[in-house]
Amino acid sequence: MYAARTTPKRPIRRPSAELARFVAHERGGGDVYPPAAAVFRALELTSYDAVRVVLLGQDPYHDEGQAHGLCFSVPRGVKPPPSLANIYKELAADVGFRAPSHGCLEPWARQGVLLLNAVLTVRAHAPASHKDRGWERFTDAVLRALNERDAPVVFVFWGGYARKKARLIDASRHTLLESAHPSPLSARNGFFGSRPFSAIDAALRRIGEAPIAWQLDEDGP
């Protein structure tokens, strides 16, 4: 599930059997997003060893065709949702980003940006419907394991829900960037103007890492 060449100091346990039964029951009664094959997509694209940046979301998009296992990202052919559109606006102001027509952030994941939601599934059209069912124990364990890694990581927490996870991170060893959430309800109250992307790149340069190539092409994966 989470391939790693280096074994985490704190083993990352699989989600509980109780959680698995709950999600299976939910899928039996209606649509659940993302599709089962994409639930762990973030961890598959960005291995434990490869993580350089963690961008934490809350739970997957809950409308049809949007969620594909990466926080804030949608598959090609799906219009970028409002939060992602606001991320694109801040990228443009911060690093000169040119917004593409799509919202697929897989190229970031392939550069070491772990696009992790705290909750990995959701019932269709019912935001936060799988909150407090056990996903948080699993994703908190992922964050703790990354916190214990020898190589520094840049953790990016947007909004009150994500910022509560700051307690899991040793900010004396890792970089922790916090701000308001990019949703339309809060973006103007501390997300716009926060310049997180240039701050991420500066933090990476300080530890001898290459910055992230944020620009997304119209073509390609």
Side-chain angles (χ1 to χ4, degrees), residues 112-138:
V113 182
L114 179 61
L115 297 166
L116 182 69
N117 277 310
V119 175
L120 300 188
T121 56
V122 67
R123 189 185 313 135
H125 317 302
S129 51
H130 289 187
K131 182 176 179 287
D132 298 327
R133 292 289 186 163
W135 279 125
E136 294 91 342
R137 289 194 294 274
F138 172 70

PDB file of all heavy atoms in Angstrom, residues 112-138:
ATOM      1  N   GLY A 112       7.487  14.454  -5.601  1.00  0.00           N
ATOM      2  CA  GLY A 112       7.664  14.335  -4.156  1.00  0.00           C
ATOM      3  C   GLY A 112       6.696  15.136  -3.323  1.00  0.00           C
ATOM      4  O   GLY A 112       6.929  15.314  -2.117  1.00  0.00           O
ATOM      5  N   VAL A 113       5.606  15.624  -3.920  1.00  0.00           N
ATOM      6  CA  VAL A 113       4.573  16.327  -3.154  1.00  0.00           C
ATOM      7  C   VAL A 113       3.478  15.314  -2.814  1.00  0.00           C
ATOM      8  O   VAL A 113       2.738  14.868  -3.702  1.00  0.00           O
ATOM      9  CB  VAL A 113       3.970  17.506  -3.944  1.00  0.00           C
ATOM     10  CG1 VAL A 113       2.923  18.238  -3.091  1.00  0.00           C
ATOM     11  CG2 VAL A 113       5.072  18.482  -4.372  1.00  0.00           C
ATOM     12  N   LEU A 114       3.392  14.930  -1.548  1.00  0.00           N
ATOM     13  CA  LEU A 114       2.375  13.984  -1.113  1.00  0.00           C
ATOM     14  C   LEU A 114       1.057  14.723  -0.958  1.00  0.00           C
ATOM     15  O   LEU A 114       0.900  15.559  -0.057  1.00  0.00           O
ATOM     16  CB  LEU A 114       2.782  13.326   0.202  1.00  0.00           C
ATOM     17  CG  LEU A 114       1.775  12.329   0.784  1.00  0.00           C
ATOM     18  CD1 LEU A 114       1.527  11.153  -0.162  1.00  0.00           C
ATOM     19  CD2 LEU A 114       2.249  11.837   2.153  1.00  0.00           C
ATOM     20  N   LEU A 115       0.114  14.435  -1.839  1.00  0.00           N
ATOM     21  CA  LEU A 115      -1.184  15.119  -1.864  1.00  0.00           C
ATOM     22  C   LEU A 115      -2.185  14.267  -1.096  1.00  0.00           C
ATOM     23  O   LEU A 115      -3.024  13.556  -1.651  1.00  0.00           O
ATOM     24  CB  LEU A 115      -1.625  15.333  -3.314  1.00  0.00           C
ATOM     25  CG  LEU A 115      -0.690  16.242  -4.132  1.00  0.00           C
ATOM     26  CD1 LEU A 115      -0.996  16.136  -5.621  1.00  0.00           C
ATOM     27  CD2 LEU A 115      -0.796  17.689  -3.656  1.00  0.00           C
ATOM     28  N   LEU A 116      -2.111  14.356   0.225  1.00  0.00           N
ATOM     29  CA  LEU A 116      -2.811  13.442   1.124  1.00  0.00           C
ATOM     30  C   LEU A 116      -4.041  14.097   1.742  1.00  0.00           C
ATOM     31  O   LEU A 116      -3.958  15.200   2.290  1.00  0.00           O
ATOM     32  CB  LEU A 116      -1.859  13.004   2.238  1.00  0.00           C
ATOM     33  CG  LEU A 116      -2.394  12.015   3.260  1.00  0.00           C
ATOM     34  CD1 LEU A 116      -2.619  10.643   2.625  1.00  0.00           C
ATOM     35  CD2 LEU A 116      -1.436  11.901   4.447  1.00  0.00           C
ATOM     36  N   ASN A 117      -5.171  13.430   1.659  1.00  0.00           N
ATOM     37  CA  ASN A 117      -6.329  13.829   2.444  1.00  0.00           C
ATOM     38  C   ASN A 117      -6.282  13.137   3.803  1.00  0.00           C
ATOM     39  O   ASN A 117      -5.783  12.012   3.925  1.00  0.00           O
ATOM     40  CB  ASN A 117      -7.633  13.446   1.732  1.00  0.00           C
ATOM     41  CG  ASN A 117      -8.048  14.463   0.691  1.00  0.00           C
ATOM     42  OD1 ASN A 117      -8.092  15.665   0.961  1.00  0.00           O
ATOM     43  ND2 ASN A 117      -8.355  13.996  -0.513  1.00  0.00           N
ATOM     44  N   ALA A 118      -6.826  13.791   4.825  1.00  0.00           N
ATOM     45  CA  ALA A 118      -6.894  13.176   6.152  1.00  0.00           C
ATOM     46  C   ALA A 118      -7.906  12.037   6.181  1.00  0.00           C
ATOM     47  O   ALA A 118      -7.745  11.062   6.911  1.00  0.00           O
ATOM     48  CB  ALA A 118      -7.251  14.224   7.200  1.00  0.00           C
ATOM     49  N   VAL A 119      -8.961  12.154   5.383  1.00  0.00           N
ATOM     50  CA  VAL A 119      -9.989  11.124   5.233  1.00  0.00           C
ATOM     51  C   VAL A 119      -9.963  10.722   3.761  1.00  0.00           C
ATOM     52  O   VAL A 119      -9.983  11.587   2.887  1.00  0.00           O
ATOM     53  CB  VAL A 119     -11.374  11.669   5.638  1.00  0.00           C
ATOM     54  CG1 VAL A 119     -12.463  10.640   5.375  1.00  0.00           C
ATOM     55  CG2 VAL A 119     -11.368  12.087   7.107  1.00  0.00           C
ATOM     56  N   LEU A 120      -9.912   9.429   3.469  1.00  0.00           N
ATOM     57  CA  LEU A 120      -9.629   8.997   2.103  1.00  0.00           C
ATOM     58  C   LEU A 120     -10.848   8.591   1.291  1.00  0.00           C
ATOM     59  O   LEU A 120     -10.706   8.291   0.100  1.00  0.00           O
ATOM     60  CB  LEU A 120      -8.608   7.851   2.119  1.00  0.00           C
ATOM     61  CG  LEU A 120      -7.251   8.174   2.745  1.00  0.00           C
ATOM     62  CD1 LEU A 120      -6.279   7.022   2.522  1.00  0.00           C
ATOM     63  CD2 LEU A 120      -6.668   9.471   2.202  1.00  0.00           C
ATOM     64  N   THR A 121     -12.031   8.574   1.879  1.00  0.00           N
ATOM     65  CA  THR A 121     -13.250   8.274   1.124  1.00  0.00           C
ATOM     66  C   THR A 121     -14.374   9.190   1.588  1.00  0.00           C
ATOM     67  O   THR A 121     -14.306   9.792   2.669  1.00  0.00           O
ATOM     68  CB  THR A 121     -13.702   6.800   1.312  1.00  0.00           C
ATOM     69  OG1 THR A 121     -13.875   6.531   2.712  1.00  0.00           O
ATOM     70  CG2 THR A 121     -12.701   5.826   0.718  1.00  0.00           C
ATOM     71  N   VAL A 122     -15.412   9.276   0.760  1.00  0.00           N
ATOM     72  CA  VAL A 122     -16.572  10.115   1.093  1.00  0.00           C
ATOM     73  C   VAL A 122     -17.790   9.576   0.351  1.00  0.00           C
ATOM     74  O   VAL A 122     -17.677   9.079  -0.763  1.00  0.00           O
ATOM     75  CB  VAL A 122     -16.305  11.593   0.714  1.00  0.00           C
ATOM     76  CG1 VAL A 122     -16.196  11.779  -0.801  1.00  0.00           C
ATOM     77  CG2 VAL A 122     -17.343  12.525   1.305  1.00  0.00           C
ATOM     78  N   ARG A 123     -18.952   9.674   0.990  1.00  0.00           N
ATOM     79  CA  ARG A 123     -20.201   9.309   0.317  1.00  0.00           C
ATOM     80  C   ARG A 123     -20.562  10.402  -0.682  1.00  0.00           C
ATOM     81  O   ARG A 123     -20.335  11.590  -0.442  1.00  0.00           O
ATOM     82  CB  ARG A 123     -21.322   9.165   1.346  1.00  0.00           C
ATOM     83  CG  ARG A 123     -22.620   8.572   0.814  1.00  0.00           C
ATOM     84  CD  ARG A 123     -23.704   8.585   1.883  1.00  0.00           C
ATOM     85  NE  ARG A 123     -23.193   8.065   3.147  1.00  0.00           N
ATOM     86  CZ  ARG A 123     -23.413   8.642   4.325  1.00  0.00           C
ATOM     87  NH1 ARG A 123     -24.101   9.774   4.411  1.00  0.00           N
ATOM     88  NH2 ARG A 123     -22.933   8.110   5.426  1.00  0.00           N
ATOM     89  N   ALA A 124     -21.100   9.998  -1.826  1.00  0.00           N
ATOM     90  CA  ALA A 124     -21.456  10.953  -2.875  1.00  0.00           C
ATOM     91  C   ALA A 124     -22.343  12.065  -2.331  1.00  0.00           C
ATOM     92  O   ALA A 124     -23.331  11.806  -1.628  1.00  0.00           O
ATOM     93  CB  ALA A 124     -22.173  10.229  -4.015  1.00  0.00           C
ATOM     94  N   HIS A 125     -21.950  13.309  -2.626  1.00  0.00           N
ATOM     95  CA  HIS A 125     -22.731  14.508  -2.317  1.00  0.00           C
ATOM     96  C   HIS A 125     -22.932  14.722  -0.815  1.00  0.00           C
ATOM     97  O   HIS A 125     -23.856  15.416  -0.408  1.00  0.00           O
ATOM     98  CB  HIS A 125     -24.096  14.475  -3.030  1.00  0.00           C
ATOM     99  CG  HIS A 125     -24.012  14.007  -4.455  1.00  0.00           C
ATOM    100  ND1 HIS A 125     -23.216  14.643  -5.396  1.00  0.00           N
ATOM    101  CD2 HIS A 125     -24.587  12.951  -5.079  1.00  0.00           C
ATOM    102  CE1 HIS A 125     -23.327  14.000  -6.555  1.00  0.00           C
ATOM    103  NE2 HIS A 125     -24.127  12.969  -6.391  1.00  0.00           N
ATOM    104  N   ALA A 126     -22.042  14.130  -0.008  1.00  0.00           N
ATOM    105  CA  ALA A 126     -22.176  14.251   1.450  1.00  0.00           C
ATOM    106  C   ALA A 126     -20.808  14.525   2.063  1.00  0.00           C
ATOM    107  O   ALA A 126     -20.147  13.608   2.558  1.00  0.00           O
ATOM    108  CB  ALA A 126     -22.787  12.980   2.039  1.00  0.00           C
ATOM    109  N   PRO A 127     -20.342  15.774   2.009  1.00  0.00           N
ATOM    110  CA  PRO A 127     -19.005  16.093   2.528  1.00  0.00           C
ATOM    111  C   PRO A 127     -18.856  15.681   3.990  1.00  0.00           C
ATOM    112  O   PRO A 127     -19.797  15.777   4.779  1.00  0.00           O
ATOM    113  CB  PRO A 127     -18.898  17.609   2.352  1.00  0.00           C
ATOM    114  CG  PRO A 127     -20.301  18.096   2.161  1.00  0.00           C
ATOM    115  CD  PRO A 127     -21.039  16.985   1.519  1.00  0.00           C
ATOM    116  N   ALA A 128     -17.669  15.196   4.326  1.00  0.00           N
ATOM    117  CA  ALA A 128     -17.312  14.778   5.685  1.00  0.00           C
ATOM    118  C   ALA A 128     -18.119  13.578   6.173  1.00  0.00           C
ATOM    119  O   ALA A 128     -18.128  13.282   7.366  1.00  0.00           O
ATOM    120  CB  ALA A 128     -17.442  15.934   6.666  1.00  0.00           C
ATOM    121  N   SER A 129     -18.758  12.852   5.273  1.00  0.00           N
ATOM    122  CA  SER A 129     -19.590  11.724   5.681  1.00  0.00           C
ATOM    123  C   SER A 129     -18.782  10.534   6.184  1.00  0.00           C
ATOM    124  O   SER A 129     -19.332   9.659   6.864  1.00  0.00           O
ATOM    125  CB  SER A 129     -20.490  11.284   4.525  1.00  0.00           C
ATOM    126  OG  SER A 129     -19.752  11.080   3.342  1.00  0.00           O
ATOM    127  N   HIS A 130     -17.494  10.465   5.876  1.00  0.00           N
ATOM    128  CA  HIS A 130     -16.658   9.380   6.370  1.00  0.00           C
ATOM    129  C   HIS A 130     -15.656   9.875   7.412  1.00  0.00           C
ATOM    130  O   HIS A 130     -14.703   9.165   7.740  1.00  0.00           O
ATOM    131  CB  HIS A 130     -15.940   8.677   5.221  1.00  0.00           C
ATOM    132  CG  HIS A 130     -16.862   7.858   4.376  1.00  0.00           C
ATOM    133  ND1 HIS A 130     -16.412   7.017   3.368  1.00  0.00           N
ATOM    134  CD2 HIS A 130     -18.217   7.731   4.385  1.00  0.00           C
ATOM    135  CE1 HIS A 130     -17.452   6.428   2.791  1.00  0.00           C
ATOM    136  NE2 HIS A 130     -18.547   6.854   3.384  1.00  0.00           N
ATOM    137  N   LYS A 131     -15.899  11.057   7.939  1.00  0.00           N
ATOM    138  CA  LYS A 131     -15.068  11.609   9.008  1.00  0.00           C
ATOM    139  C   LYS A 131     -15.291  10.797  10.293  1.00  0.00           C
ATOM    140  O   LYS A 131     -16.386  10.327  10.561  1.00  0.00           O
ATOM    141  CB  LYS A 131     -15.439  13.079   9.213  1.00  0.00           C
ATOM    142  CG  LYS A 131     -14.631  13.828  10.251  1.00  0.00           C
ATOM    143  CD  LYS A 131     -15.058  15.293  10.259  1.00  0.00           C
ATOM    144  CE  LYS A 131     -14.285  16.085  11.326  1.00  0.00           C
ATOM    145  NZ  LYS A 131     -14.736  15.754  12.690  1.00  0.00           N
ATOM    146  N   ASP A 132     -14.227  10.656  11.064  1.00  0.00           N
ATOM    147  CA  ASP A 132     -14.293   9.994  12.377  1.00  0.00           C
ATOM    148  C   ASP A 132     -14.713   8.529  12.292  1.00  0.00           C
ATOM    149  O   ASP A 132     -15.323   7.986  13.220  1.00  0.00           O
ATOM    150  CB  ASP A 132     -15.232  10.750  13.327  1.00  0.00           C
ATOM    151  CG  ASP A 132     -14.766  12.159  13.616  1.00  0.00           C
ATOM    152  OD1 ASP A 132     -13.538  12.376  13.644  1.00  0.00           O
ATOM    153  OD2 ASP A 132     -15.619  13.043  13.793  1.00  0.00           O
ATOM    154  N   ARG A 133     -14.372   7.880  11.186  1.00  0.00           N
ATOM    155  CA  ARG A 133     -14.665   6.456  11.031  1.00  0.00           C
ATOM    156  C   ARG A 133     -13.401   5.603  11.074  1.00  0.00           C
ATOM    157  O   ARG A 133     -13.484   4.385  10.961  1.00  0.00           O
ATOM    158  CB  ARG A 133     -15.396   6.211   9.706  1.00  0.00           C
ATOM    159  CG  ARG A 133     -16.797   6.793   9.671  1.00  0.00           C
ATOM    160  CD  ARG A 133     -17.715   6.001  10.587  1.00  0.00           C
ATOM    161  NE  ARG A 133     -19.100   6.429  10.487  1.00  0.00           N
ATOM    162  CZ  ARG A 133     -20.124   5.708  10.925  1.00  0.00           C
ATOM    163  NH1 ARG A 133     -19.907   4.540  11.503  1.00  0.00           N
ATOM    164  NH2 ARG A 133     -21.354   6.156  10.800  1.00  0.00           N
ATOM    165  N   GLY A 134     -12.251   6.258  11.211  1.00  0.00           N
ATOM    166  CA  GLY A 134     -10.997   5.513  11.314  1.00  0.00           C
ATOM    167  C   GLY A 134      -9.915   5.939  10.353  1.00  0.00           C
ATOM    168  O   GLY A 134      -8.733   5.603  10.556  1.00  0.00           O
ATOM    169  N   TRP A 135     -10.274   6.696   9.316  1.00  0.00           N
ATOM    170  CA  TRP A 135      -9.245   7.133   8.366  1.00  0.00           C
ATOM    171  C   TRP A 135      -8.205   8.015   9.052  1.00  0.00           C
ATOM    172  O   TRP A 135      -7.007   7.962   8.728  1.00  0.00           O
ATOM    173  CB  TRP A 135      -9.876   7.895   7.207  1.00  0.00           C
ATOM    174  CG  TRP A 135     -10.462   7.055   6.134  1.00  0.00           C
ATOM    175  CD1 TRP A 135     -11.733   7.085   5.632  1.00  0.00           C
ATOM    176  CD2 TRP A 135      -9.786   6.040   5.367  1.00  0.00           C
ATOM    177  NE1 TRP A 135     -11.896   6.164   4.633  1.00  0.00           N
ATOM    178  CE2 TRP A 135     -10.717   5.509   4.451  1.00  0.00           C
ATOM    179  CE3 TRP A 135      -8.486   5.526   5.375  1.00  0.00           C
ATOM    180  CZ2 TRP A 135     -10.383   4.493   3.543  1.00  0.00           C
ATOM    181  CZ3 TRP A 135      -8.151   4.518   4.486  1.00  0.00           C
ATOM    182  CH2 TRP A 135      -9.101   4.012   3.585  1.00  0.00           C
ATOM    183  N   GLU A 136      -8.654   8.854   9.990  1.00  0.00           N
ATOM    184  CA  GLU A 136      -7.719   9.783  10.621  1.00  0.00           C
ATOM    185  C   GLU A 136      -6.618   9.051  11.369  1.00  0.00           C
ATOM    186  O   GLU A 136      -5.474   9.527  11.415  1.00  0.00           O
ATOM    187  CB  GLU A 136      -8.469  10.731  11.566  1.00  0.00           C
ATOM    188  CG  GLU A 136      -9.437  11.681  10.860  1.00  0.00           C
ATOM    189  CD  GLU A 136     -10.848  11.131  10.730  1.00  0.00           C
ATOM    190  OE1 GLU A 136     -11.024   9.890  10.860  1.00  0.00           O
ATOM    191  OE2 GLU A 136     -11.775  11.918  10.509  1.00  0.00           O
ATOM    192  N   ARG A 137      -6.928   7.907  11.973  1.00  0.00           N
ATOM    193  CA  ARG A 137      -5.883   7.144  12.677  1.00  0.00           C
ATOM    194  C   ARG A 137      -4.815   6.683  11.693  1.00  0.00           C
ATOM    195  O   ARG A 137      -3.618   6.700  12.006  1.00  0.00           O
ATOM    196  CB  ARG A 137      -6.507   5.951  13.407  1.00  0.00           C
ATOM    197  CG  ARG A 137      -7.330   6.344  14.618  1.00  0.00           C
ATOM    198  CD  ARG A 137      -7.647   5.144  15.495  1.00  0.00           C
ATOM    199  NE  ARG A 137      -8.510   4.179  14.852  1.00  0.00           N
ATOM    200  CZ  ARG A 137      -9.840   4.242  14.845  1.00  0.00           C
ATOM    201  NH1 ARG A 137     -10.452   5.261  15.455  1.00  0.00           N
ATOM    202  NH2 ARG A 137     -10.566   3.324  14.250  1.00  0.00           N
ATOM    203  N   PHE A 138      -5.239   6.277  10.514  1.00  0.00           N
ATOM    204  CA  PHE A 138      -4.297   5.825   9.496  1.00  0.00           C
ATOM    205  C   PHE A 138      -3.453   6.988   8.963  1.00  0.00           C
ATOM    206  O   PHE A 138      -2.217   6.902   8.902  1.00  0.00           O
ATOM    207  CB  PHE A 138      -5.056   5.152   8.356  1.00  0.00           C
ATOM    208  CG  PHE A 138      -4.202   4.809   7.171  1.00  0.00           C
ATOM    209  CD1 PHE A 138      -3.260   3.794   7.240  1.00  0.00           C
ATOM    210  CD2 PHE A 138      -4.330   5.511   5.983  1.00  0.00           C
ATOM    211  CE1 PHE A 138      -2.460   3.479   6.144  1.00  0.00           C
ATOM    212  CE2 PHE A 138      -3.538   5.207   4.888  1.00  0.00           C
ATOM    213  CZ  PHE A 138      -2.599   4.189   4.967  1.00  0.00           C
TER     214      PHE A 138
END
